[in-house]
Amino acid sequence: MRKYLLKRIFYLFLTLFIVATATFFLMKLMPGTPLQNEAKLTASEKASILAQYGLDKPVWLQYFIYIGGIFKGSLGLSFQFSDQAVSYLIGSRMGPSMQLGGQAMVVGVIFGIILGAVGAIRKDTWADRLATVLSILGIAVPSFVLAILLQYYLGLKLGWFPVAGWEGFAYTILPTLALAASPLAETARFIRTDMVDVLSSDYIELAKAKGLSKFGIVYHHALRNSLIPMVTLIGPLAAALMTGSMVVENIFSVPGIGEQFVKSILVNDYPTIMGVTIFYSALLCLLLLLTDIVYGIIDPRIRLSGNGD
Amino acid sequence: MVDNPNNIEIKPGDFEPLDKQAGPDNEKIAAPSLTFGQDVWRRLKSNKTAFTSFIILILLFLMAFGGQAIYHQNPNDQEPKYANLPPKIPGVGIHGLNGHINQGGTDVDAYKAAGAGSDVHYTLGTDYLGRDLLARIMYGTRVSLEIALIATLIDLTIGVGFGILSGWMGGRVDMFMQRIIEILSSIPSLVVMVLMATAFQKTGMASIIAALAIINWTTMARLTRAQTLQMKNQDFILAARTLGESAPKIAWKHLLPNLSSVIIIQTMFTIPNAIFFEAFLSYIGIGISSPQASLGTLISDGQKNFQFLPYQMWYPAIVLIVLMLAFNLLGDGMRDAFDPKSKR
Amino acid sequence: MENPENIIEVRNLQIDFHTYAGEVKAIRDVSFDLRKGETLAIVGESGSGKSVTTRSLMGLLAPNAVIKSGSIMFHDEDIIKKSEKDMQHIRGKDIAMIFQDPMTSLDPTMRIGLQIAEPLMKHKGLKKKEAVAQALEMLKLVGITDPENRINDYPYQFSGGMRQRIVIAIALVCYPEVLIADEPTTALDVTIQAQILDLMKDLQNRIDTSIIFITHDLGVVAGMADRVAVMYAGKIVEYGTVDEIFFNPQHPYTWGLLNSMPTLDTEGGSLSAIPGTPPDLLDPPVGDAFAARSDYAMKIDTEKEPPFFKVSDTHYAATWLLHPDAPKVTPPAEIVRRQKKFATMQKPEAPIKHETKE
């Protein structure tokens, strides 16, 4: 188990290193500098600004400085907000993103499990069909369309929730709903498929032969066996949430990382794009590692084999 | 429980031995046999949802690629004086399709207000530059589909090739190739796409296709590899090897046909995924750019006027949603149809 | 109950399955009894309806199955008429079941102690602690070594044979009156098979339960069963005591089954398979369903269904060959040999069991 963990952590760093390198050189291919009103600046002013960003040095040296900086927790300076460190920018915007992401994950997974389980238990009934329609809609309706619709109909027309901004819990409801749709749908589909399989397995048949009630069978045997593999879904769901957060935060004016990322893309703020890219990758890698460990702990079948590979 | 044998009426000759030759052939299989393809098609047809999705997809494809043959409007013709006109279909009185809009509580004939003659009518209205929305939706759908299909084709080629190679070679090659996939799939796909789209100068189909292709193939590769590994040790492959067939020939003649169901099913889910990401990139402004259109840019444009002219976003959004729904439902249906376990 | 010794009486049971292709007539007029303390073996090829029959006793038929007619009397009550809720009180408590594959019939994520304790908590209302304590006793009874430590293990930590012992422990923990064993040894190694069979017999004596033993393997039946019912195409075609079925079989299908079973004294490779395939039960043939595959088929076999003809008080067979007017036929050589043996066994001093056990 320890050997496996060490191996995984090594790959985590390798992945991040590759991401950082690839991002760096891709960004170097791009036109664009931190200079804002280029025409008005004198040559010496330009030179001093470039020096401030370290852009006067040869590319290979910039690269080593950048990689070295990452180890010290520095991701360089932002182009668009002069003098602001990218790491500070990310740090200051992490709160809202994490809160939204967390809320959406919890809402999505819980309701997804309920929806999926109902579909599996009541297979081929109207309840199953309704659950299937809901989950397929959750996949088919892109988060940005859903966000716009929620904002307009629930926010503007009915006035139930604030339309945009970030001033309290009420402001999180609509973006959470918009974000939660996709994890909800994915979870529901996953749980339904898995549970249909589980419910037709021999040990469920044995549980029936024991005389357990339908609820007992689902609660004690089916749910547990379906929820364990569900853990492996958390990583991909988190990745999908990152995607969603970019537009949803934008639409609801949430001061989060996703909103910042889109802004940076539009104004060619390369250090920020790079920083957020590395940050997202690190987050996802950590989540994947964490879910693997958790999976190993909660699934007795994996616990034995030890190497888990 | 037991009848009295003496009460049974017996006719003479009843106890003649049966002529086995004349009797029915007992090795005959009662049900008519179907080929695998026929069986899949039969089951797909019996799945109403999947079949409906299939029909809808055909209609959407016809609209996207052949619609302009019937509907002659140019999607890029701007008519500023007719900007933001609501849908109008002559002879239809339903509000929303009669060219009227609600302005501050009063019903206004937008076409009259814009000074348009009675011969001017836009089936789905116009956008903020006075372009025909239906024409733009047809055009945008075509662009979205083209991007998705080409990207999927590239995914397919890379993914299947990579998967077969990895699974077939095994050993160190496999290990190395698996690590590549592992690393690629632990990077959030959208981040890669954004990077690629930005790197390739932000515009045009090529950059989006490249961005989509570079990340989406890993799932396909993983599935293909798993299947190849499983198949590799089966007797029919072994037989082909013993007969001295070359590896590429075995892959083409024996492996690929047996992988086809997995590949087809996965493709059915890759396409809507590509459609979604294209729309997403275009929506946030790093995909297709004006005057080109895709469903993503149309939704993005429509959103600006959503409060007053909701149709400008609703129509492209509906097309996108229906497209995604149909592909996903057809994919589900295909998976069931290909799965021998679901046979009833 | 027609006979006070009977614990289960199945009468004229008819079960259909709704499929896309049509109605599959899986069980066609099946009747049998189960007596207190006996082991009844139901033998037949796959698809003959033996598993469906026993599943109906548990009320565990697939959702697309319909019981067309018949009754299943258990303690003077018809199981078919019982609600799902009532059946839950019978399942696991009065009638328990063992399944074919021990590798998949235990919940992989639950400790085996709790899995054994579950029926006690459900039916006896025991608290978890007491139930697990009783589960431990049961583990000892089924011969798991070091039960105190292993009670908290998960199924994957046991071998196939051990798992089947655990499944047996689950089935017997409430001391059921009837145990249904659906091919309990098919998935096991031959050496383990014998152990499990011995265990079942031993436990049957200890807790005084009746067993319905389903199998396609006549070899297993010989040492295990008191009575045997042979099923073919959704019908029972012959039933009798184990000796009567083994040494004085009357139905051509039973002949075929015995002929295809290897025995120690099988001479010169005379092992033969039954030709053809079972009939399509979507459209069952008229008359004797086995006629198409039988070398002894007569004209009447394709026209009229044979009734049960009495061979002895305990032995009945549904074949026209037993009709007084039917021509006398000579069974296959192996069967003739067996019948000769049967004649000698009828003498009181003849050692029966000793010889039958192969």
Side-chain angles (χ1 to χ4, degrees):
Chain A
M1 188 69 189
R2 235 178 96 195
K3 211 177 125 202
Y4 172 70
L5 261 182
L6 284 176
K7 206 172 93 187
R8 284 297 305 267
I9 291 170
F10 168 75
Y11 277 115
L12 191 152
F13 279 108
L14 182 68
T15 307
L16 290 182
F17 173 74
I18 292 174
V19 170
T21 307
T23 333
F24 180 87
F25 286 105
L26 271 175
M27 291 300 122
K28 282 296 144 199
L29 290 175
M30 230 89 47
T33 62
L35 312 174
Q36 264 147 16
N37 301 310
E38 219 168 323
K40 288 186 200 154
L41 296 175
T42 65
S44 68
E45 277 173 325
K46 275 187 195 173
S48 81
I49 291 176
L50 286 179
Q52 185 196 348
Y53 284 93
L55 294 174
D56 51 341
K57 300 186 180 71
V59 172
W60 63 268
L61 192 59
Q62 289 181 35
Y63 172 67
F64 284 114
I65 290 173
Y66 189 71
I67 297 290
I70 292 176
F71 281 102
K72 284 183 252 160
S74 154
L75 293 166
L77 292 177
S78 158
F79 282 1
Q80 59 179 318
F81 307 100
S82 32
D83 320 339
Q84 255 193 43
V86 172
S87 50
Y88 171 77
L89 206 62
I90 292 175
S92 67
R93 286 174 162 264
M94 220 162 88
S97 287
M98 290 292 160
Q99 188 185 348
L100 273 192
Q103 281 179 198
M105 183 76 100
V106 170
V107 170
V109 167
I110 289 177
F111 285 94
I113 289 172
I114 295 173
L115 211 59
V118 166
I121 296 164
R122 298 253 172 273
K123 191 168 171 262
D124 295 331
T125 63
W126 63 268
D128 179 26
R129 253 160 246 142
L130 184 72
T132 308
V133 167
L134 281 179
S135 59
I136 208 112
L137 271 178
I139 286 168
V141 181
S143 47
F144 52 93
V145 174
L146 184 64
I148 297 166
L149 297 181
L150 285 175
Q151 184 180 45
Y152 181 66
Y153 290 104
L154 297 190
L156 208 63
K157 266 208 151 161
L158 295 172
W160 290 354
F161 306 101
V163 172
W166 190 253
E167 285 153 48
F169 180 70
Y171 288 82
T172 69
I173 294 174
L174 287 183
T176 301
L177 286 181
L179 271 179
S182 148
L184 191 152
E186 295 285 353
T187 310
R189 274 165 75 99
F190 183 92
I191 290 284
R192 184 188 177 274
T193 317
D194 202 65
M195 206 141 159
V196 165
D197 260 14
V198 167
L199 282 176
S200 67
S201 66
D202 288 354
Y203 58 85
I204 294 297
E205 199 73 1
L206 185 74
K208 284 184 200 160
K210 284 177 181 177
L212 298 189
S213 64
K214 211 161 182 172
F215 175 80
I217 290 170
V218 170
Y219 186 73
H220 289 293
H221 296 281
L223 211 50
R224 195 202 315 234
N225 276 286
S226 301
L227 287 185
I228 288 174
M230 167 68 220
V231 173
T232 56
L233 202 64
I234 300 288
L237 287 186
L241 280 181
M242 289 172 192
T243 309
S245 73
M246 295 185 200
V247 283
V248 171
E249 287 180 3
N250 220 350
I251 290 167
F252 290 101
S253 312
V254 176
I257 299 172
E259 194 232 3
Q260 180 60 56
F261 192 51
V262 175
K263 259 193 213 155
S264 307
I265 292 166
L266 297 177
V267 301
N268 291 348
D269 182 355
Y270 300 125
T272 309
I273 299 178
M274 283 157 71
V276 174
T277 302
I278 293 168
F279 174 76
Y280 273 160
S281 306
L283 199 66
L284 184 62
C285 281
L286 265 177
L287 259 174
L288 289 174
L289 179 62
L290 223 64
T291 50
D292 263 19
I293 295 171
V294 170
Y295 191 44
I297 291 172
I298 60 173
D299 191 335
R301 280 163 296 189
I302 294 180
R303 226 185 288 163
L304 166 86
S305 45
N307 53 15
D309 207 344
Chain B
M1 192 168 176
V2 179
D3 304 359
N4 182 355
N6 298 326
N7 289 350
I8 303 164
E9 199 185 313
I10 301 291
K11 295 194 293 284
D14 267 352
F15 292 113
E16 296 281 307
L18 204 60
D19 183 6
K20 294 301 271 186
Q21 247 53 44
D25 178 8
N26 56 23
E27 295 290 343
K28 199 190 79 179
I29 294 161
S33 68
L34 295 169
T35 66
F36 184 60
Q38 284 173 324
D39 196 34
V40 167
W41 176 241
R42 180 185 63 83
R43 273 187 275 161
L44 195 62
K45 265 200 304 195
S46 67
N47 181 340
K48 285 190 203 87
T49 327
F51 197 68
T52 315
S53 306
F54 184 64
I55 302 288
I56 288 175
L57 279 181
I58 289 180
L59 292 177
L60 279 173
F61 269 81
L62 282 177
M63 179 199 88
F65 290 94
Q68 272 170 320
I70 305 164
Y71 195 78
H72 296 291
Q73 299 297 328
N74 185 328
N76 291 326
D77 270 356
Q78 300 183 6
E79 201 79 57
K81 59 179 175 171
Y82 295 148
N84 293 330
L85 285 181
K88 180 178 181 182
I89 303 170
V92 176
I94 312 159
H95 187 85
L97 294 173
N98 61 358
H100 289 240
I101 48 167
N102 223 327
Q103 244 171 22
T106 48
D107 192 60
V108 180
D109 185 343
Y111 282 73
K112 226 174 238 164
S118 60
D119 57 327
V120 177
H121 54 82
Y122 295 96
T123 311
L124 290 184
T126 57
D127 69 358
Y128 67 107
L129 290 175
R131 290 175 293 199
D132 184 291
L133 194 59
L134 177 59
R136 281 194 78 69
I137 288 177
M138 293 194 304
Y139 174 60
T141 311
R142 195 180 82 208
V143 171
S144 283
L145 282 175
E146 277 171 1
I147 291 175
L149 291 179
I150 296 172
T152 303
L153 200 68
I154 298 173
D155 282 351
L156 206 70
T157 321
I158 303 178
V160 172
F162 198 96
I164 289 185
L165 202 64
S166 179
W168 186 263
M169 303 292 273
R172 279 171 181 281
V173 181
D174 182 37
M175 273 270 280
F176 180 69
M177 294 176 96
Q178 283 318 107
R179 288 296 155 270
I180 295 179
I181 289 189
E182 223 167 82
I183 287 171
L184 266 180
S185 48
S186 55
I187 305 169
S189 48
L190 188 88
V191 167
V192 179
M193 285 181 207
V194 168
L195 281 177
M196 294 309 286
T198 331
F200 286 120
Q201 294 299 320
K202 294 196 174 183
T203 43
M205 279 167 72
S207 73
I208 290 208
I209 291 172
L212 286 171
I214 205 157
I215 198 74
N216 269 346
W217 60 270
T218 51
T219 321
M220 182 72 83
R222 224 181 295 195
L223 284 171
T224 318
R225 172 182 172 266
Q227 284 286 309
T228 308
L229 276 179
Q230 211 181 62
M231 214 93 78
K232 192 165 82 170
N233 297 319
Q234 278 178 18
D235 290 345
F236 70 100
I237 298 287
L238 202 66
R241 284 170 105 168
T242 349
L243 288 173
E245 273 197 72
S246 65
K249 210 170 170 190
I250 293 175
W252 184 254
K253 271 179 66 183
H254 300 287
L255 223 45
L256 221 48
N258 283 290
L259 291 173
S260 59
S261 62
V262 175
I263 295 172
I264 292 172
I265 293 164
Q266 183 53 30
T267 308
M268 296 316 294
F269 292 108
T270 310
I271 296 174
N273 203 30
I275 294 174
F276 166 76
F277 274 117
E278 183 280 316
F280 186 91
L281 290 177
S282 298
Y283 175 80
I284 62 173
I286 50 175
I288 298 295
S289 55
S290 223
Q292 277 191 307
S294 81
L295 291 172
T297 58
L298 290 176
I299 292 171
S300 171
D301 286 346
Q303 187 204 345
K304 290 168 193 142
N305 277 326
F306 189 59
Q307 205 173 330
F308 309 106
L309 303 162
Y311 69 91
Q312 285 187 359
M313 192 191 91
W314 264 117
Y315 291 124
I318 286 172
V319 174
L320 177 65
I321 291 169
V322 169
L323 208 54
M324 300 271 293
L325 266 180
F327 268 115
N328 272 300
L329 289 171
L330 181 60
D332 279 351
M334 295 257 245
R335 186 168 48 196
D336 290 346
F338 273 117
D339 182 6
K341 271 198 295 182
S342 71
K343 191 183 279 192
R344 273 216 277 174
Chain C
M1 291 284 175
E2 289 171 17
N3 183 337
E5 268 180 53
N6 289 347
I7 185 161
I8 288 181
E9 280 176 3
V10 177
R11 289 292 173 272
N12 307 98
L13 191 63
Q14 243 180 345
I15 299 175
D16 286 5
F17 282 90
H18 289 295
T19 66
Y20 286 135
E23 303 260 299
V24 175
K25 296 164 190 71
I27 302 296
R28 306 183 297 143
D29 194 15
V30 161
S31 304
F32 66 88
D33 305 324
L34 179 70
R35 311 219 170 103
K36 273 197 184 91
E38 78 162 347
T39 300
L40 170 70
I42 301 181
V43 184
E45 307 171 80
S46 29
S48 60
K50 49 196 190 333
S51 287
V52 177
T53 310
T54 48
R55 249 149 222 272
S56 64
L57 298 186
M58 294 286 283
L60 281 181
L61 287 169
N64 63 334
V66 191
I67 299 180
K68 279 272 153 140
S69 65
S71 63
I72 302 172
M73 302 305 286
F74 175 68
H75 286 309
D76 293 313
E77 283 181 273
D78 192 349
I79 280 179
I80 293 171
K81 296 202 179 87
K82 284 193 180 287
S83 68
E84 166 64 23
K85 203 105 215 137
D86 289 338
M87 279 315 291
Q88 285 173 6
H89 291 294
I90 294 177
R91 287 203 284 264
K93 180 165 165 274
D94 301 320
I95 308 178
M97 193 160 178
I98 305 173
F99 295 91
Q100 192 179 98
D101 190 354
M103 301 312 275
T104 54
S105 47
L106 291 169
D107 184 337
T109 59
M110 191 186 272
R111 297 175 199 280
I112 57 141
L114 194 54
Q115 295 197 46
I116 301 173
E118 255 186 339
L120 291 170
M121 288 150 69
K122 162 86 189 180
H123 299 299
K124 303 265 158 91
L126 294 188
K127 291 270 178 317
K128 191 169 163 184
K129 219 170 156 188
E130 305 162 309
V132 173
Q134 279 201 28
L136 183 67
E137 293 307 309
M138 210 61 213
L139 269 187
K140 286 180 192 159
L141 208 60
V142 297
I144 303 276
T145 44
D146 192 16
E148 285 83 4
N149 288 319
R150 306 224 62 184
I151 192 161
N152 285 326
D153 282 354
Y154 288 96
Y156 69 86
Q157 289 161 303
F158 294 89
S159 67
M162 285 295 141
R163 287 192 207 190
Q164 196 62 307
R165 284 170 191 266
I166 294 165
V167 173
I168 292 174
I170 292 174
L172 295 182
V173 74
C174 286
Y175 288 55
E177 292 174 72
V178 180
L179 174 67
I180 299 169
D182 191 350
E183 310 227 8
T185 57
T186 308
L188 300 172
D189 290 345
V190 185
T191 46
I192 311 287
Q193 277 188 15
Q195 289 177 15
I196 295 292
L197 291 176
D198 285 346
L199 175 72
M200 285 178 64
K201 260 164 55 182
D202 179 41
L203 290 175
Q204 180 180 24
N205 292 333
R206 286 203 207 191
I207 66 179
D208 191 30
T209 177
S210 312
I211 297 180
I212 297 180
F213 193 94
I214 304 167
T215 182
H216 63 266
D217 183 359
L218 268 174
V220 172
V221 169
M224 189 73 198
D226 301 312
R227 292 193 306 132
V228 180
V230 180
M231 271 192 95
Y232 183 76
K235 276 174 172 299
I236 291 179
V237 295
E238 181 166 7
Y239 63 95
T241 65
V242 70
D243 289 336
E244 285 165 339
I245 297 297
F246 269 74
F247 294 103
N248 192 23
Q250 298 297 326
H251 197 282
Y253 178 63
T254 318
W255 294 348
L257 276 185
L258 284 166
N259 239 353
S260 59
M261 180 184 86
T263 61
L264 279 184
D265 37 22
T266 301
E267 283 151 35
S270 65
L271 215 57
S272 59
I274 305 174
T277 50
D280 183 3
L281 290 182
L282 270 174
D283 183 22
V286 184
D288 187 341
F290 188 62
R293 298 168 74 187
S294 169
D295 291 336
Y296 304 91
M298 296 174 294
K299 196 163 154 262
I300 192 168
D301 279 325
T302 62
E303 290 160 358
K304 245 187 217 135
E305 214 178 294
F308 275 109
F309 291 93
K310 181 172 172 175
V311 183
S312 77
D313 281 345
T314 50
H315 186 185
Y316 292 84
T319 168
W320 284 114
L321 290 175
L322 289 174
H323 192 274
D325 297 347
K328 289 284 159 271
V329 296
T330 318
E334 161 73 14
I335 304 299
V336 173
R337 198 182 60 74
R338 282 173 177 271
Q339 283 173 343
K340 274 186 193 145
K341 209 176 200 173
F342 186 70
T344 60
M345 279 158 58
Q346 294 307 313
K347 294 167 191 159
E349 70 274 24
I352 296 169
K353 287 285 178 186
H354 187 73
E355 284 223 16
T356 56
K357 205 164 179 183
E358 321 285 10

